[in-house]
Amino acid sequence: MSATSHLLKVVIQTVMAAPMTNDQSWFYALALGVSFLKCLLINAYHSTDFEVHRNWLALTHSLPVSQWYYEATSEWTLDYPPLFAWFEYGLSHIACFFDKEMLVVPNLNYASPATVLFQRLSVIVADVVFFYAVKECCKCLREDKGKDLLGKPSFILTVLLLWNFGLLIVDHIHFQYNGFLFGVLLLSIARHCQNRHFEGAFLFSVLLNLKHIYLYIAPAYGIYLLRCFCFTQSNADGSLQWRSFSVVRLVILGTIVLSTFAVSFGPFIALGQLPQVLSRLFPFKRGLCHAYWAPNIWALYNIADKAFSILGVKFRLLDINKLPKASMTGGLVQEFQHSVLPSVSPLATLVCTLLSILPALFKIWHRPNGARGFLRCLVICALGSFMFGWHVHEKAIMMAILPLSLLAVDSRKDAGIFLMLSVTSHYSLFPLLFTTQELPIKIFLMLLFTIFSLASLKTLFRKGGALLNPLEVTYLLGLIPLELICEFVYPLTVWQKTFPFLPLMLTSVYCALGVTYAFIRLYISLLTCSDTTKKTKMQ
Amino acid sequence: MENWSLFSLCVLLGLTSRWAVSFHSYSGAGKPPMFGDYEAQRHWQEVTYNLPVHEWYFNTTNNDLNYWGLDYPPLTAYHSLVCAYVAKLLNPEWVELHASRGYESHSHKLFMRATVLFTDILIYIPAVLLYCFYFCDGSSKQKVATALCILLYPGLILIDYGHFQYNSVSLGLALWGILGLGLGWDLFGSLAFTLALNYKQMELYHSLPFFCYLLGKCIKQGLIGRGFFQLAKISLTVLVTFALCWMPFLSDPKQPLQVLHRLFPFGRGLFEDKVANTWCSLNVLIKIKTLLIHLPTTLSPFPLSLYVSSPQNISQPVCLVINEIPLIAIWFLLTSTFSMLPLLVKDGLLLPYVVTSLAFLFLSLYLLSALERSTEEELRLGLYRKLTRHWLPKLNLSRIIKWKFWFSLVAMAALSFTSVWLEPPAKFPDLFPVLVSILSFLHFLGFIIYFNLVQLMEPQRKKSQKKTN
């Protein structure tokens, strides 16, 4: 039955206290519970992203389409693809009922209580897409009758996704619409698991037109669909059967993708604005790293460069006057120049990214492993792009974590990698909420998610030893003193004034180690997984 | 999942909702000259830090009792003093004598909220967890569910973390007292409860059952011999605790008298706020009744729920029985939160009120299966059944109760909505607060009758349970 009639049934049965025939009530309880928590966070700190979206509401509402990608009254110009602009346009029509003033473009930084309420509620309501997607993903898991509720993989997955720490603090405090977008992504993945590939492809093209950062994982989709869908059969040993190529399927897929792009970009191509739109979408003049370094390879590269330059000066190998002035820790988004190691250009990062994901793509081309192999490759593409990409935001790590949750409840190795990656990257999101008021919230929520994921996955995979080896546990425990130093001890020292960005740097570098480690382990797991896993639960 | 992880998750959820509510406004925010309870607490820090002890409760040039004079017992004053020391370290302006009047700033608000969180974590939350762990029936999952529902009770969260008070201290200490009695540690229980009493004099409402229970227990052990010794030890504990708390005030006979005068201001009017004082008259009736019924018998923790008065004090004991009669308890707790609506709206706490009430309603109904556990037996409707047996034998009491429950919720929601969105007519500007009071009063009257009837049936029910077991 459809979701709405099911929900209505839940409500009626709740009122009359009649027992539910299929006990899905826990899902709605979890969804409702997290929604209430989100409502309580309405008055929390919100970042400049709040103003970004208010500005987009205003400009899509007040200006004609031809002006959308040219408007520059506010510094936060439209830099998402057209479908998202249409989404904002739709929202703006509801916004009128809350506060018309927010739709006036010159009202920069307008944040009346009604505006805050509307924008926060829009994120909370848009999360319904995410709820639906999670429900569909749970259907892809193996049925596990007879286990008590807290030990069911579908229950654990639901909590890991619905109550994900990253989504809660980025969407509902910092302010973004990731829940909605990841809902579309997870729905697309679910459709592929359910062998409804056309729908999956359609959803992914829609997603690309909502936020182009998902290009990171487009190669995984492309190779997977080509290999597993366009070639309808494989040989007995899993290798490619060239004869089974289906032109029809390729054409239909192509049509779906192209028509989605046509609907989205069509008006702008017709207006001859495509170069302008693309320049807004891909602003390459920003630096190698964001003001707060994402915990990727470049953070380690930067710190190595710094270390070499300091050591070099100390041991008189380098002349301090000849070194370029280091501006990376300045905190502003500027061009970077490395002192000792070669500087990195956007092209270099692109090459590194491609090199990092090529083995994974080759693996699923050569010996695909069904939906599970696709998912693993997707996570690696996301993580590879995160590790080597140009001007990556730390929030991008969620593109790896959320799909990895699906793998985590299925296999114990993935559960271990998931724990490492999720705890590290969730901690790396801490600097996003730098206000004192939000400090307890981020600590409580982080503990909530970490304790739940550790305890539930440990219970799920209790046979076969510990999920994390002692080294990993030590590393994760090291986050506690790191947090105490960065957030409590360091601000009281004299260095706070002279080196204010040291805690951020420490956090980036420490987390980068964990993320790199998880990346390597995932790769090893992909490259060594054999085809005997044909009896996968997600087939 | 292991117990410790379930309990930690429950605590973290409780803490998160508490701190999230604290983001909102507090009583008297930005409303000079008097402000509100928040300013009162800040003022007490100022007074206790800057003035000598013998001036705290007296009207002097430095201490204007008309401006939020201390009217809680000494333990509150000592607590304020400790907070004041911390405040002085962080920012001396917060407790500057006279100059800090009406001081409001974001960092100060964080500090004040943090003091509430600190005492909550220290006193109230461990008491709730231990109570659920030791005294709740059912599996560990049910215990955790009960703990979560108690921790999510909106009334306490909204008053402590919204309006601004330290009810969690006195209620927590009283709960430790109950825990002590329940575990057989009478001295510890008496100590904890005496401390609660010395924190807020409202705990007197709970003192009668404590007294009756301990007296009854000692009598049972024989007034000559062990019982007498026990009584002596308990009395000594109580007296010593009182003496220690009041020590600075015992040097001069005028001191304790003045303190008592501040604690029990019989000069003030009866209806100080339109909400709480429906209790005063009921309270007297209840006290007399309980004395008559319960002096000879020993009490179980359960009947403690009966001897209550103001919304906060009434709700705490009802929280404790939430696992035994979930539907009625949830109904009651929601009503008590609703009864505070005019106050919450005045403080700008409408959004947290709506969210926490709805969250509590749905989560507790779901986690405790309140609607499923609502047969006549489970709702303890035995006496009602007896009374209606002759005239209306076929009445489905359970269904009636459920319909009444939903109807009352709709009424409360509707009145909440109209209080906020509609303008009262000019002739009756206080129409909505009065309606809220009346509706709450009617509910509470019904609850008091219900709890009393249940109490009367309790020994018979336990006997029949023993027979069936």
Side-chain angles (χ1 to χ4, degrees), chain A residues 14-17 25-26 29 36-37 39-40 43-44 148 150 163 436-438 440-441 444 447-448 455 458-459, chain B residues 1-2 5-6 9 12-13 15-17 19-20 23-24 106 110 141 355 358-359 362 366 371 402-403 406:
Chain A
T14 312
V15 169
M16 287 295 107
S25 54
W26 55 265
F36 283 128
L37 178 62
C39 288
L40 276 181
N43 259 13
D148 85 310
L150 294 182
W163 288 73
T436 324
Q437 188 178 249
E438 276 65 34
I441 292 277
F444 294 152
L447 284 173
L448 194 70
K458 196 168 107 167
T459 313
Chain B
M1 273 177 73
E2 292 150 25
S5 45
L6 283 174
L9 293 177
L12 287 167
L13 281 171
L15 290 175
T16 311
S17 36
W19 192 254
F23 291 170
H24 296 86
H106 185 72
L110 280 180
K141 272 199 286 190
V355 177
L358 286 174
F362 284 113
Y366 175 74
L371 291 167
K402 277 191 263 197
W403 277 109
W406 288 111

Side-chain angles (χ1 to χ4, degrees), chain A residues 191-396:
Chain A
R191 290 290 177 252
H192 283 303
C193 292
Q194 293 162 354
N195 286 319
R196 290 153 71 169
H197 295 286
F198 289 130
E199 291 177 47
F202 169 68
L203 285 165
F204 187 66
S205 349
V206 166
L207 184 63
L208 280 179
N209 285 293
L210 282 170
K211 193 169 180 182
H212 52 296
I213 201 176
Y214 293 95
L215 277 172
Y216 285 177
I217 50 177
Y221 266 88
I223 302 290
Y224 171 71
L225 283 173
L226 194 58
R227 173 67 178 85
C228 295
F229 187 59
C230 295
F231 289 95
T232 49
Q233 285 171 42
S234 296
N235 291 327
D237 64 349
S239 65
L240 188 56
Q241 196 181 80
W242 289 95
R243 293 240 181 109
S244 67
F245 183 70
S246 161
V247 182
V248 176
R249 286 188 175 184
L250 182 65
V251 166
I252 299 179
L253 276 181
T255 319
I256 291 174
V257 174
L258 287 172
S259 46
T260 323
F261 274 84
V263 165
S264 166
F265 283 91
F268 299 96
I269 298 174
L271 289 166
Q273 291 185 352
L274 192 61
Q276 170 68 5
V277 176
L278 290 176
S279 77
R280 283 282 176 91
L281 258 51
F282 301 101
F284 268 95
K285 41 186 172 14
R286 298 186 193 165
L288 172 66
C289 291
H290 191 50
Y292 159 58
W293 306 343
N296 61 9
I297 281 291
W298 306 126
L300 296 174
Y301 192 84
N302 288 346
I303 205 75
D305 182 69
K306 263 244 165 289
F308 286 145
S309 72
I310 292 174
L311 286 173
V313 168
K314 200 164 187 181
F315 292 114
R316 319 265 162 129
L317 295 168
L318 299 164
D319 183 358
I320 194 168
N321 297 315
K322 288 202 192 133
L323 288 176
K325 192 118 195 309
S327 59
M328 309 166 233
T329 44
L332 296 172
V333 179
Q334 297 169 346
E335 293 301 321
F336 279 56
Q337 270 208 308
H338 291 96
S339 318
V340 177
L341 300 171
S343 282
V344 183
S345 69
L347 187 61
T349 61
L350 189 62
V351 169
C352 289
T353 311
L354 283 175
L355 284 177
S356 72
I357 64 176
L358 231 51
L361 294 173
F362 180 74
K363 177 72 163 82
I364 60 160
W365 176 267
H366 184 59
R367 286 282 185 272
N369 213 345
R372 191 201 242 172
F374 160 60
L375 201 49
R376 204 181 298 276
C377 180
L378 191 150
V379 175
I380 288 180
C381 286
L383 208 45
S385 312
F386 178 84
M387 292 290 291
F388 296 97
W390 177 265
H391 200 83
V392 171
H393 279 243
E394 61 284 350
K395 305 179 217 114

